[in-house]
Amino acid sequence: MQVATVSGNQSAAQGEPNENWTIEELLNYYHDQSQAQVTNKANELIQALEQVYIHAEKDIWELHKLAIENNTDEQDTDPLESQEEKQQEPIEQVQQETKKSTRSRKQYYNLFIEVMTGPHEGATFLLKPRPSRPCDIGRSKGKKFTQRGISLYKDSEVSTCHGKFEYQSSADGDKLFYTDTGSTNGTSFLGEAIEDHVPLEIIDGLVLGFGESDLKFTIVDN
């Protein structure tokens, strides 16, 4: 589509303006020039719009084809089956999370210790041994004794590293044990020395002797 050009008058056909032209012929000349420029610009815009229309039409047809294909895929899918799958996913996820939570909620207990005799008589300690994280007892003033274990630094009969409290696996599950780690004067139970490096199960109310100190153990909830 193009805009028809406006034909000039007879004076315009005579070429460029010259001194022989009348005022009327000069005005008509510039009028015709302006009309020609407007017409050319209009034709350029029309051509540009036609190109836009052609590309837009192609894009619309492509979108139309995609819509038809998607609609066909949805019709091929059983809506009931799709809904069951969506419902099944959260159920399975909840079951998996429940299993993980059950495994992570394994019950562990703490140890409350009272010093019954010796230079630390009256002192109390709360230990929180965990699997792979034992609590130590000894005469040392190191952090693992003063912060997570028991430091009987006033009892000269206690070894620097005397023993440890830890969780160990057994047939009945994880249980608390005490192990003498090779102390010089040993650990006593009911007046008899226990064998070193052999775990002794800790039961509620157990009393063990370390040097001049007797310690009573109470198992408490975490």
Side-chain angles (χ1 to χ4, degrees):
M1 176 181 179
Q2 288 188 342
V3 178
T5 59
V6 180
S7 60
N9 57 23
Q10 187 175 1
S11 62
Q14 297 175 1
E16 294 297 322
N18 55 64
E19 58 185 10
N20 296 321
W21 281 27
T22 64
I23 295 300
E24 182 181 1
E25 289 175 333
L26 189 62
L27 291 174
N28 286 334
Y29 171 81
Y30 284 113
H31 175 268
D32 292 343
Q33 291 293 318
S34 298
Q35 285 285 75
Q37 290 177 1
V38 170
T39 301
N40 291 336
K41 190 64 178 178
N43 288 332
E44 291 177 1
L45 291 174
I46 290 171
Q47 290 176 358
L49 288 173
E50 288 178 345
Q51 292 298 318
V52 171
Y53 171 78
I54 292 172
H55 290 299
E57 185 179 22
K58 290 180 180 179
D59 292 340
I60 291 171
W61 277 111
E62 289 296 328
L63 290 173
H64 177 67
K65 291 178 182 178
L66 288 174
I68 293 175
E69 292 175 359
N70 290 336
N71 187 47
T72 303
D73 292 340
E74 290 177 359
Q75 291 177 351
D76 292 339
T77 303
D78 188 345
L80 293 177
E81 182 179 344
S82 178
Q83 185 175 3
E84 289 176 357
E85 289 178 355
K86 290 181 180 179
Q87 291 176 348
Q88 188 69 19
E89 287 179 1
I91 292 174
E92 293 176 353
Q93 185 176 359
V94 170
Q95 290 174 341
Q96 291 175 358
E97 293 297 329
T98 302
K99 290 180 182 178
K100 290 180 181 178
S101 178
T102 302
R103 287 197 298 268
S104 63
R105 286 202 305 265
K106 188 177 287 186
Q107 180 68 43
Y108 293 110
Y109 297 95
N110 299 331
L111 285 175
F112 179 75
I113 298 102
E114 301 173 84
V115 182
M116 312 296 292
T117 61
H120 293 276
E121 183 178 351
T124 59
F125 302 90
L126 180 64
L127 302 187
K128 299 180 179 181
R130 296 293 181 266
S132 304
R133 292 184 62 198
C135 295
D136 298 280
I137 183 171
R139 200 175 69 252
S140 172
K141 290 185 179 180
K143 287 185 178 180
K144 71 175 184 177
F145 294 90
T146 58
Q147 294 182 3
R148 292 199 68 255
I150 300 175
S151 175
L152 301 175
Y153 61 92
K154 296 179 182 179
D155 194 332
S156 59
E157 298 298 315
V158 174
S159 295
T160 303
C161 298
H162 202 100
K164 62 181 179 179
F165 307 94
E166 62 184 339
Y167 266 99
Q168 291 187 8
S169 298
S170 67
D172 299 327
D174 292 345
K175 291 186 176 181
L176 279 166
F177 290 86
Y178 167 74
T179 304
D180 187 297
T181 55
S183 65
T184 301
N185 295 317
T187 305
S188 63
F189 172 59
L190 298 178
E192 299 290 334
I194 66 173
E195 188 175 353
D196 59 3
H197 299 293
V198 177
L200 172 70
E201 184 180 350
I202 299 174
I203 59 175
D204 206 35
L206 175 71
V207 177
L208 295 176
F210 303 85
E212 298 178 355
S213 306
D214 288 334
L215 277 64
K216 181 180 179 181
F217 297 86
T218 303
I219 298 174
V220 295
D221 290 337
N222 182 18

